[in-house]
Amino acid sequence: MAIDYYFSEQMHKNDEPVIRFYGWDPFCLSLGRHQDIQAVDVKKLKLDGVDLVRRPTGGSAIFHSDELTYSIVIPKKLMHHTALYLLIHLSLIHI
């Protein structure tokens, strides 16, 4: 997710949209931007071999395991984030 954050920070220098697909090895718990890390047993995660990251977006904890994750970074001037969300999710529904 650090790579996604990097791409979003570079968007003011480069107007090229970026789409990225990736998996999780080891498995990982991602926390939302404002989620309290005190609610997580970090020692237990480490003992179980599970990574911990913080997403730059909001929301609650998500456990990432055997899945395909995608990230899309585009300049704000190309498309509003709600329109992009709708476009991607409606497209995925029809796959």
Side-chain angles (χ1 to χ4, degrees):
M1 290 190 171
I3 293 170
D4 299 331
Y5 185 75
Y6 170 80
F7 284 135
S8 69
E9 290 295 305
Q10 296 301 309
M11 198 51 51
H12 68 280
K13 296 178 186 175
N14 181 2
D15 282 348
E16 292 293 320
V18 176
I19 184 166
R20 193 169 81 86
F21 296 91
Y22 55 96
W24 300 88
D25 185 19
F27 295 168
C28 183
L29 181 69
S30 69
L31 301 180
R33 170 182 239 160
H34 303 292
Q35 192 167 7
D36 186 2
I37 196 167
Q38 300 302 319
V40 177
D41 187 342
V42 177
K43 289 181 183 178
K44 175 76 169 123
L45 287 177
K46 188 174 265 193
L47 284 173
D48 290 342
V50 176
D51 279 349
L52 178 65
V53 298
R54 183 169 301 278
R55 295 187 311 280
T57 58
S60 57
I62 299 172
F63 181 70
H64 302 279
S65 57
D66 293 321
E67 64 189 62
L68 177 66
T69 301
Y70 69 90
S71 168
I72 300 172
V73 179
I74 67 166
K76 289 181 181 180
K77 65 183 178 184
L78 289 182
M79 182 180 283
H80 190 271
H81 69 275
T82 54
L84 177 63
Y85 181 87
L86 185 62
L87 173 70
I88 296 299
H89 289 88
L90 288 177
S91 298
L92 291 174
I93 288 170
H94 297 291
I95 292 179

